[in-house]
Amino acid sequence: MFKVNIIVEDSKWKKEIPTIEKILKKNVKKIYSSIDRTSKKKNLEISVLLTNKTKMKKLNKDFRKTLKDTDVLSFPYHEKNFFLKKKLPTMGNIYLGDLAFSYDYIKKQKTNFVEYVNKIFIHGCLHLVGYEHDNLKNYKEMHLLERKLLAIIW
């Protein structure tokens, strides 16, 4: 089972994508099922905050010590590589963490809004399970997986 707790803090999200909750819930299942074939036997849960630049600046300042807007912030619940090292119990509830998305940052990008949201949703979900882009090798691995998953959810 896959559970997605969604808080729509800024109404612009619903105006831009009226079915945003449905899209995210459908995509989280596809993302984690593609990464780990046994994930369907687990109760995976994440939370998503759909907010704006004011809140994202505050979150970024509080947690990353930088006062700027960004598209997505990821807050993994478990230590790095918990999911990747297959330490997950075979059954039971597993809270992976929280994601926050900035409507204003995404809207500023000169690209398809829904496509961009899907891309950064994948990116954030990968961070929640331990993927990083802190060096070239990790960046390439994460980027290839993001592209694969984007093709699956489209």
Coordinates of all heavy atoms in Angstrom, one line a residue, residues 82-143:
F82 N 18.8 3.9 3.8 CA 17.9 2.9 4.5 C 17.2 2.0 3.5 O 17.2 0.8 3.6 CB 17.0 3.7 5.4 CG 15.9 2.8 6.1 CD1 16.2 2.1 7.2 CD2 14.6 2.8 5.6 CE1 15.2 1.3 7.8 CE2 13.6 2.0 6.2 CZ 14.0 1.3 7.3
F83 N 16.6 2.7 2.5 CA 15.8 1.9 1.5 C 16.7 1.2 0.6 O 16.5 0.1 0.2 CB 14.9 3.0 0.8 CG 13.8 2.4 -0.1 CD1 12.6 2.1 0.4 CD2 14.1 2.0 -1.4 CE1 11.6 1.6 -0.4 CE2 13.1 1.5 -2.2 CZ 11.8 1.3 -1.7
L84 N 17.8 1.9 0.1 CA 18.6 1.3 -0.9 C 19.4 0.0 -0.4 O 19.7 -0.9 -1.2 CB 19.6 2.3 -1.4 CG 19.0 3.5 -2.1 CD1 20.1 4.5 -2.5 CD2 18.2 3.1 -3.3
K85 N 19.7 0.0 0.9 CA 20.4 -1.1 1.4 C 19.5 -2.3 1.8 O 19.9 -3.3 2.4 CB 21.2 -0.7 2.7 CG 22.4 0.2 2.4 CD 23.1 0.6 3.6 CE 24.3 1.4 3.3 NZ 25.0 1.9 4.5
K86 N 18.2 -2.2 1.4 CA 17.2 -3.2 1.7 C 17.1 -3.5 3.1 O 16.9 -4.7 3.5 CB 17.6 -4.5 0.9 CG 17.8 -4.2 -0.6 CD 16.5 -3.8 -1.3 CE 16.7 -3.7 -2.8 NZ 16.0 -2.6 -3.4
K87 N 17.2 -2.5 4.0 CA 17.0 -2.8 5.4 C 15.5 -2.7 5.8 O 15.2 -2.9 6.9 CB 17.7 -1.7 6.2 CG 19.2 -1.7 6.2 CD 19.7 -0.6 7.1 CE 21.2 -0.3 7.0 NZ 21.6 0.8 7.9
L88 N 14.7 -2.5 4.8 CA 13.3 -2.3 5.1 C 12.7 -3.6 5.6 O 13.0 -4.7 5.1 CB 12.5 -1.9 3.8 CG 12.8 -0.5 3.3 CD1 12.0 -0.3 2.0 CD2 12.4 0.5 4.3
P89 N 11.8 -3.6 6.6 CA 11.1 -4.8 7.0 C 10.2 -5.3 5.8 O 9.8 -4.5 5.0 CB 10.2 -4.3 8.2 CG 10.4 -2.9 8.2 CD 11.5 -2.4 7.3
T90 N 10.0 -6.5 5.8 CA 9.2 -7.1 4.7 C 7.7 -6.6 4.8 O 7.0 -6.6 3.8 CB 9.2 -8.6 4.6 OG1 8.9 -9.1 5.9 CG2 10.6 -9.1 4.2
M91 N 7.2 -6.4 5.9 CA 5.9 -5.9 6.1 C 5.9 -4.8 7.1 O 6.8 -4.6 7.8 CB 5.0 -7.1 6.7 CG 4.8 -8.2 5.7 SD 4.0 -7.9 4.2 CE 2.3 -7.7 4.7
G92 N 4.7 -4.1 7.2 CA 4.6 -3.0 8.2 C 4.6 -1.7 7.6 O 4.8 -1.5 6.4
N93 N 4.4 -0.7 8.4 CA 4.3 0.7 7.9 C 5.7 1.3 7.9 O 6.5 1.2 8.9 CB 3.4 1.5 8.9 CG 2.0 1.0 8.9 OD1 1.5 0.5 7.9 ND2 1.4 1.2 10.0
I94 N 6.1 2.0 6.8 CA 7.3 2.6 6.6 C 7.1 4.0 6.2 O 6.7 4.3 5.0 CB 8.2 1.8 5.6 CG1 8.4 0.4 6.0 CG2 9.6 2.5 5.5 CD1 8.9 -0.5 5.0
Y95 N 7.4 5.0 7.1 CA 7.3 6.4 6.7 C 8.6 6.8 6.1 O 9.6 6.7 6.7 CB 6.9 7.2 7.9 CG 6.6 8.6 7.6 CD1 5.4 8.9 7.0 CD2 7.5 9.7 7.7 CE1 5.0 10.2 6.6 CE2 7.2 11.0 7.3 CZ 5.9 11.2 6.8 OH 5.6 12.5 6.4
L96 N 8.5 7.3 4.8 CA 9.8 7.6 4.1 C 10.2 9.1 4.3 O 11.4 9.4 4.3 CB 9.6 7.3 2.6 CG 9.4 5.9 2.2 CD1 9.2 5.7 0.7 CD2 10.6 5.0 2.7
G97 N 9.2 10.0 4.5 CA 9.6 11.4 4.8 C 8.7 12.3 4.1 O 7.6 12.0 3.7
D98 N 9.1 13.6 4.0 CA 8.3 14.7 3.6 C 9.0 15.4 2.4 O 10.2 15.5 2.3 CB 8.2 15.8 4.7 CG 7.7 15.2 6.0 OD1 6.8 14.4 6.0 OD2 8.3 15.6 7.0
L99 N 8.1 15.9 1.5 CA 8.5 16.7 0.3 C 7.7 18.0 0.4 O 6.6 18.1 0.8 CB 8.1 16.0 -1.0 CG 8.8 14.6 -1.2 CD1 8.2 14.0 -2.5 CD2 10.3 14.8 -1.3
A100 N 8.4 19.1 -0.1 CA 7.7 20.4 -0.2 C 8.0 20.9 -1.6 O 9.2 20.8 -2.1 CB 8.2 21.3 0.9
F101 N 7.0 21.5 -2.2 CA 7.1 22.0 -3.6 C 6.7 23.5 -3.6 O 5.6 23.8 -3.0 CB 6.2 21.2 -4.6 CG 6.6 19.8 -4.7 CD1 6.0 18.8 -4.0 CD2 7.7 19.4 -5.5 CE1 6.3 17.5 -4.1 CE2 8.0 18.1 -5.6 CZ 7.4 17.1 -4.9
S102 N 7.4 24.3 -4.3 CA 7.1 25.7 -4.5 C 6.4 26.0 -5.8 O 7.0 25.9 -6.9 CB 8.3 26.6 -4.4 OG 8.0 27.9 -4.7
Y103 N 5.1 26.4 -5.7 CA 4.4 26.7 -6.9 C 5.1 27.9 -7.7 O 5.2 27.8 -8.9 CB 2.9 27.2 -6.5 CG 2.2 27.7 -7.7 CD1 1.5 26.8 -8.5 CD2 2.2 29.0 -8.1 CE1 0.8 27.2 -9.6 CE2 1.5 29.4 -9.2 CZ 0.8 28.5 -10.0 OH 0.1 28.9 -11.1
D104 N 5.5 28.9 -7.0 CA 6.1 30.1 -7.6 C 7.3 29.7 -8.4 O 7.6 30.2 -9.5 CB 6.3 31.2 -6.6 CG 5.0 31.6 -5.9 OD1 4.1 32.0 -6.6 OD2 5.0 31.4 -4.6
Y105 N 8.2 28.9 -7.7 CA 9.5 28.6 -8.4 C 9.2 27.8 -9.7 O 9.8 28.0 -10.7 CB 10.3 27.8 -7.5 CG 11.7 27.5 -8.0 CD1 12.8 28.3 -7.6 CD2 12.0 26.5 -8.9 CE1 14.0 28.1 -8.1 CE2 13.2 26.3 -9.4 CZ 14.3 27.1 -9.0 OH 15.5 26.9 -9.5
I106 N 8.3 26.8 -9.6 CA 8.0 26.0 -10.7 C 7.3 26.8 -11.8 O 7.6 26.6 -13.0 CB 7.1 24.8 -10.3 CG1 7.8 23.9 -9.3 CG2 6.6 24.0 -11.5 CD1 6.9 23.0 -8.5
K107 N 6.4 27.7 -11.5 CA 5.7 28.5 -12.5 C 6.7 29.4 -13.2 O 6.5 29.7 -14.4 CB 4.6 29.3 -11.8 CG 3.7 30.0 -12.7 CD 2.9 29.0 -13.5 CE 1.8 29.7 -14.4 NZ 1.2 28.8 -15.3
K108 N 7.8 29.8 -12.6 CA 8.8 30.7 -13.2 C 9.5 30.0 -14.3 O 10.1 30.6 -15.2 CB 9.8 31.2 -12.2 CG 9.4 32.4 -11.4 CD 10.6 33.0 -10.6 CE 11.5 32.0 -10.0 NZ 12.5 32.6 -9.1
Q109 N 9.6 28.7 -14.2 CA 10.4 27.9 -15.2 C 9.6 28.0 -16.5 O 8.4 27.9 -16.6 CB 10.5 26.5 -14.8 CG 11.1 26.3 -13.4 CD 12.4 27.1 -13.1 OE1 13.3 27.0 -13.9 NE2 12.3 27.9 -12.1
K110 N 10.3 28.1 -17.6 CA 9.7 28.2 -18.9 C 9.5 26.8 -19.5 O 10.1 26.4 -20.5 CB 10.6 29.1 -19.9 CG 10.8 30.4 -19.3 CD 9.5 31.2 -19.2 CE 9.9 32.6 -18.7 NZ 8.8 33.3 -18.0
T111 N 8.6 26.0 -18.8 CA 8.4 24.6 -19.3 C 7.0 24.2 -18.9 O 6.3 24.9 -18.2 CB 9.4 23.7 -18.6 OG1 9.3 22.4 -19.1 CG2 9.3 23.7 -17.1
N112 N 6.6 23.1 -19.3 CA 5.3 22.5 -19.0 C 5.2 22.3 -17.5 O 6.0 21.5 -17.0 CB 5.0 21.2 -19.8 CG 3.7 20.6 -19.5 OD1 3.5 20.1 -18.4 ND2 2.8 20.6 -20.5
F113 N 4.2 22.9 -16.9 CA 4.1 22.9 -15.4 C 3.9 21.4 -14.9 O 4.6 21.0 -14.0 CB 2.9 23.7 -15.0 CG 2.8 24.0 -13.5 CD1 3.5 25.0 -12.9 CD2 2.1 23.2 -12.7 CE1 3.5 25.3 -11.6 CE2 2.0 23.4 -11.3 CZ 2.7 24.5 -10.8
V114 N 3.0 20.7 -15.5 CA 2.7 19.3 -15.0 C 3.9 18.4 -15.2 O 4.3 17.6 -14.3 CB 1.5 18.7 -15.7 CG1 1.3 17.3 -15.4 CG2 0.2 19.5 -15.5
E115 N 4.6 18.6 -16.4 CA 5.8 17.8 -16.6 C 6.9 18.1 -15.6 O 7.5 17.2 -15.1 CB 6.3 18.0 -18.0 CG 7.4 17.1 -18.5 CD 7.8 17.3 -19.9 OE1 6.9 17.5 -20.7 OE2 9.0 17.3 -20.2
Y116 N 7.0 19.3 -15.3 CA 8.1 19.7 -14.3 C 7.7 19.2 -12.9 O 8.6 18.7 -12.2 CB 8.2 21.3 -14.3 CG 9.4 21.8 -13.6 CD1 10.6 22.0 -14.3 CD2 9.4 22.1 -12.2 CE1 11.7 22.4 -13.6 CE2 10.5 22.5 -11.6 CZ 11.7 22.7 -12.3 OH 12.8 23.1 -11.6
V117 N 6.5 19.3 -12.6 CA 6.0 18.7 -11.2 C 6.3 17.2 -11.2 O 6.8 16.7 -10.2 CB 4.5 19.0 -11.0 CG1 4.0 18.2 -9.8 CG2 4.3 20.5 -10.8
N118 N 6.0 16.5 -12.2 CA 6.3 15.1 -12.3 C 7.8 14.8 -12.1 O 8.2 13.9 -11.4 CB 5.8 14.4 -13.5 CG 4.3 14.2 -13.5 OD1 3.7 13.9 -12.5 ND2 3.6 14.3 -14.7
K119 N 8.6 15.6 -12.8 CA 10.1 15.4 -12.8 C 10.6 15.6 -11.3 O 11.4 14.8 -10.8 CB 10.7 16.4 -13.7 CG 12.2 16.2 -13.8 CD 12.8 17.2 -14.8 CE 14.3 17.1 -15.0 NZ 15.0 17.5 -13.8
I120 N 10.2 16.7 -10.7 CA 10.7 17.0 -9.4 C 10.1 16.1 -8.3 O 10.6 15.9 -7.3 CB 10.6 18.5 -9.0 CG1 9.2 19.0 -8.9 CG2 11.5 19.3 -9.9 CD1 9.1 20.4 -8.3
F121 N 8.9 15.6 -8.6 CA 8.3 14.6 -7.7 C 9.1 13.4 -7.6 O 9.4 12.8 -6.6 CB 6.8 14.4 -8.0 CG 6.1 13.4 -7.1 CD1 5.9 13.8 -5.8 CD2 5.6 12.2 -7.5 CE1 5.2 13.0 -4.9 CE2 4.9 11.4 -6.6 CZ 4.8 11.8 -5.3
I122 N 9.5 12.9 -8.8 CA 10.4 11.7 -8.9 C 11.7 12.0 -8.2 O 12.1 11.2 -7.4 CB 10.7 11.4 -10.4 CG1 9.4 10.8 -11.0 CG2 11.8 10.4 -10.5 CD1 9.5 10.7 -12.5
H123 N 12.2 13.2 -8.4 CA 13.5 13.6 -7.8 C 13.4 13.6 -6.3 O 14.2 13.0 -5.6 CB 13.9 15.0 -8.3 CG 15.2 15.5 -7.9 ND1 16.4 15.2 -8.6 CD2 15.6 16.2 -6.8 CE1 17.4 15.7 -7.9 NE2 17.0 16.4 -6.9
G124 N 12.3 14.2 -5.8 CA 12.1 14.2 -4.3 C 11.9 12.8 -3.7 O 12.5 12.5 -2.7
C125 N 11.1 12.0 -4.4 CA 10.9 10.6 -4.0 C 12.2 9.8 -3.9 O 12.4 9.0 -3.0 CB 9.9 9.9 -4.9 SG 8.2 10.5 -4.6
L126 N 13.1 10.0 -4.9 CA 14.3 9.3 -4.9 C 15.2 9.8 -3.7 O 15.9 8.9 -3.1 CB 15.1 9.5 -6.2 CG 14.5 8.8 -7.4 CD1 15.3 9.2 -8.7 CD2 14.3 7.3 -7.2
H127 N 15.2 11.0 -3.4 CA 15.9 11.5 -2.2 C 15.4 10.9 -0.9 O 16.2 10.6 0.0 CB 15.8 13.0 -2.1 CG 16.8 13.8 -2.9 ND1 18.2 13.6 -2.9 CD2 16.6 14.8 -3.8 CE1 18.8 14.4 -3.7 NE2 17.9 15.2 -4.3
L128 N 14.1 10.7 -0.8 CA 13.5 10.1 0.4 C 14.0 8.7 0.6 O 14.0 8.2 1.8 CB 12.0 10.1 0.3 CG 11.3 11.4 0.3 CD1 9.8 11.3 0.4 CD2 11.8 12.3 1.5
V129 N 14.5 8.0 -0.4 CA 14.9 6.6 -0.2 C 16.5 6.5 -0.4 O 17.0 5.4 -0.5 CB 14.2 5.6 -1.2 CG1 12.8 5.5 -0.9 CG2 14.4 5.9 -2.6
G130 N 17.1 7.6 -0.3 CA 18.6 7.6 -0.2 C 19.4 8.0 -1.4 O 20.6 8.0 -1.4
Y131 N 18.8 8.2 -2.6 CA 19.5 8.6 -3.7 C 20.0 10.1 -3.5 O 19.3 10.9 -3.0 CB 18.7 8.6 -5.0 CG 18.5 7.2 -5.5 CD1 17.4 6.4 -5.1 CD2 19.4 6.6 -6.4 CE1 17.3 5.1 -5.5 CE2 19.2 5.3 -6.8 CZ 18.2 4.5 -6.4 OH 18.0 3.3 -6.8
E132 N 21.3 10.3 -4.0 CA 21.9 11.6 -3.9 C 22.5 12.0 -5.2 O 22.8 11.1 -6.1 CB 22.9 11.6 -2.8 CG 22.4 11.4 -1.4 CD 21.6 12.6 -0.9 OE1 21.8 13.8 -1.4 OE2 20.8 12.5 0.0
H133 N 22.9 13.3 -5.4 CA 23.6 13.7 -6.5 C 24.8 14.6 -6.1 O 25.1 15.6 -6.6 CB 22.7 14.5 -7.5 CG 21.8 15.5 -6.9 ND1 22.2 16.7 -6.5 CD2 20.5 15.3 -6.5 CE1 21.1 17.4 -6.0 NE2 20.1 16.5 -6.0
D134 N 25.5 14.0 -5.0 CA 26.6 14.7 -4.4 C 27.9 14.5 -5.1 O 28.9 15.2 -4.8 CB 26.7 14.3 -2.9 CG 26.7 12.8 -2.7 OD1 26.5 12.1 -3.7 OD2 26.9 12.4 -1.6
N135 N 28.0 13.7 -6.1 CA 29.2 13.5 -6.9 C 28.7 13.0 -8.3 O 27.6 12.7 -8.5 CB 30.2 12.5 -6.3 CG 29.6 11.1 -6.1 OD1 29.1 10.5 -7.0 ND2 29.8 10.6 -4.9
L136 N 29.6 13.0 -9.2 CA 29.3 12.7 -10.6 C 28.7 11.3 -10.8 O 27.7 11.1 -11.5 CB 30.5 12.9 -11.5 CG 30.2 12.7 -13.0 CD1 29.2 13.8 -13.5 CD2 31.5 12.9 -13.8
K137 N 29.2 10.3 -10.1 CA 28.7 9.0 -10.2 C 27.3 8.9 -9.7 O 26.4 8.3 -10.4 CB 29.6 8.0 -9.4 CG 29.2 6.6 -9.5 CD 30.1 5.7 -8.6 CE 29.5 4.3 -8.6 NZ 29.2 3.8 -7.3
N138 N 27.0 9.4 -8.5 CA 25.7 9.4 -8.0 C 24.7 10.3 -8.8 O 23.6 9.9 -9.0 CB 25.7 10.0 -6.5 CG 26.4 9.0 -5.6 OD1 26.6 7.8 -5.9 ND2 26.7 9.5 -4.4
Y139 N 25.2 11.4 -9.3 CA 24.4 12.2 -10.2 C 23.9 11.4 -11.4 O 22.7 11.4 -11.8 CB 25.1 13.5 -10.6 CG 24.4 14.3 -11.7 CD1 23.3 15.1 -11.4 CD2 24.7 14.1 -13.0 CE1 22.7 15.8 -12.4 CE2 24.0 14.8 -14.0 CZ 23.0 15.6 -13.7 OH 22.3 16.3 -14.7
K140 N 24.8 10.8 -12.1 CA 24.5 10.0 -13.3 C 23.5 8.9 -13.0 O 22.5 8.7 -13.7 CB 25.8 9.4 -13.9 CG 26.6 10.5 -14.6 CD 27.8 9.8 -15.3 CE 28.7 10.8 -16.0 NZ 29.9 10.2 -16.6
E141 N 23.7 8.2 -11.9 CA 22.8 7.1 -11.5 C 21.4 7.6 -11.2 O 20.4 7.1 -11.7 CB 23.4 6.4 -10.2 CG 22.5 5.3 -9.7 CD 23.0 4.7 -8.4 OE1 24.0 5.2 -7.8 OE2 22.4 3.7 -8.0
M142 N 21.4 8.7 -10.5 CA 20.1 9.3 -10.1 C 19.4 9.9 -11.3 O 18.2 9.7 -11.5 CB 20.2 10.4 -9.0 CG 18.9 10.9 -8.5 SD 19.3 12.0 -7.1 CE 17.6 12.5 -6.7
H143 N 20.1 10.5 -12.2 CA 19.5 11.1 -13.4 C 19.0 10.1 -14.3 O 17.9 10.2 -14.9 CB 20.6 12.0 -14.1 CG 20.1 12.7 -15.3 ND1 19.2 13.7 -15.2 CD2 20.3 12.5 -16.6 CE1 18.9 14.1 -16.4 NE2 19.6 13.4 -17.3

